[in-house]
Amino acid sequence: MISIPYLICSILSFVPAIVCHEACHGFAAYKLGDPTAKRAGRLSFNPLKHIDPFGTVIMPLLLMAMNMPVFGYAKPVPYNPAYFKDPRKGDLIVGLAGPAANLVLAVLGAVVYTLVMLVLPVSALAQNDVFYYFLTLFLPMFSLINLYLMFFNLLPIPPLDGSSIFAFFLPQKYLPQYYKVQRYAMPVFLIVVLLVPYVLHFNPIGIYLDATAGNVFDLLFSFGR
């Protein structure tokens, strides 16, 4: 059963993570000369501008209920590579902006955690329940969820950011075929994410996230322990 503090901390971690992720996509495109995201109101930090009913709400709740790593996605920020001086390079920069934002937030959470642990004695933390949950539950979860989102979105599957990064390194002659495959990739991927662990008792995404986000998390939080 999911505890109330865990649920609250999960929501307070996940929402800012996806909002900053998507807003940074739009901001990167805007700085490269594309006004599409700004015109669509997607440079906002208002969560309602970025929520995808399934990817932002249903999928994270399902993963939480199944005791799996909490990750998901928001509505992709619209942008037009035709505005970029170098469309392929611009597409790469925009694709990297979201995961980079999650990495910054994860490091920030670890820095706050480490500083507090170095300054305050453990006995002082136990005197205030809210502060205790903030330090021992929220900050680690905030960093971990940002790392999950970062590495999840780096997978080269549309509409995840890794598809833009993968396309940058793909030879030009293969791009048309790759773009044709894009329309089918996400539904198949979601089936793999949600059904494979139960049908085959094997969770490839969980293994991937443990090897990437899990190890980075352990490194970031090793200084304050």
Side-chain angles (χ1 to χ4, degrees):
M1 183 176 179
I2 301 174
S3 68
I4 298 300
Y6 177 85
L7 181 61
I8 292 174
C9 289
S10 296
I11 294 172
L12 293 179
S13 298
F14 185 71
V15 172
I18 62 167
V19 169
C20 290
H21 181 105
E22 295 301 330
C24 284
H25 278 315
F27 182 74
Y30 178 71
K31 296 299 290 184
L32 290 170
D34 178 15
T36 306
K38 184 177 181 180
R39 290 172 181 170
R42 297 298 301 280
L43 299 187
S44 171
F45 285 101
N46 179 359
L48 297 179
K49 298 284 187 178
H50 305 286
I51 287 177
D52 176 271
F54 181 80
T56 312
V57 181
I58 298 174
M59 182 176 173
L61 289 176
L62 284 174
L63 293 173
M64 194 183 304
M66 294 187 296
N67 199 30
M68 293 173 61
V70 178
F71 55 88
Y73 57 90
K75 290 189 298 184
V77 168
Y79 68 94
N80 186 353
Y83 284 101
F84 305 153
K85 292 181 180 179
D86 184 338
R88 293 192 74 178
K89 183 178 179 181
D91 199 28
L92 175 66
I93 293 172
V94 172
L96 287 173
N102 291 131
L103 178 60
V104 170
L105 291 175
V107 172
L108 179 62
V111 168
V112 173
Y113 175 87
T114 301
L115 291 176
V116 173
M117 290 297 290
L118 292 175
V119 172
L120 293 180
V122 178
S123 58
L125 303 178
Q127 295 176 5
N128 187 305
D129 289 342
V130 174
F131 189 71
Y132 178 80
Y133 279 121
F134 170 77
L135 182 68
T136 63
L137 184 59
F138 172 74
L139 286 177
M141 184 180 294
F142 178 78
S143 291
L144 187 59
I145 285 178
N146 271 283
L147 290 172
Y148 281 152
L149 285 174
M150 171 190 168
F151 284 104
F152 173 69
N153 277 282
L154 286 176
L155 289 168
I157 300 171
L160 302 180
D161 305 325
S163 62
S164 297
I165 300 168
F166 181 76
F168 177 79
F169 295 101
L170 196 67
Q172 187 75 33
K173 62 180 180 179
Y174 296 120
L175 284 177
Q177 291 89 342
Y178 178 67
Y179 290 138
K180 288 180 181 178
V181 172
Q182 283 189 346
R183 73 184 72 177
Y184 307 108
M186 195 60 182
V188 173
F189 177 65
L190 290 177
I191 291 174
V192 171
V193 169
L194 297 176
L195 292 185
V196 166
Y198 275 85
V199 175
L200 302 180
H201 304 289
F202 172 71
N203 186 1
I205 302 300
I207 294 172
Y208 162 73
L209 291 177
D210 284 341
T212 53
N215 284 323
V216 174
F217 173 84
D218 289 340
L219 176 64
L220 290 176
F221 280 78
S222 62
F223 301 101
R225 294 174 178 172

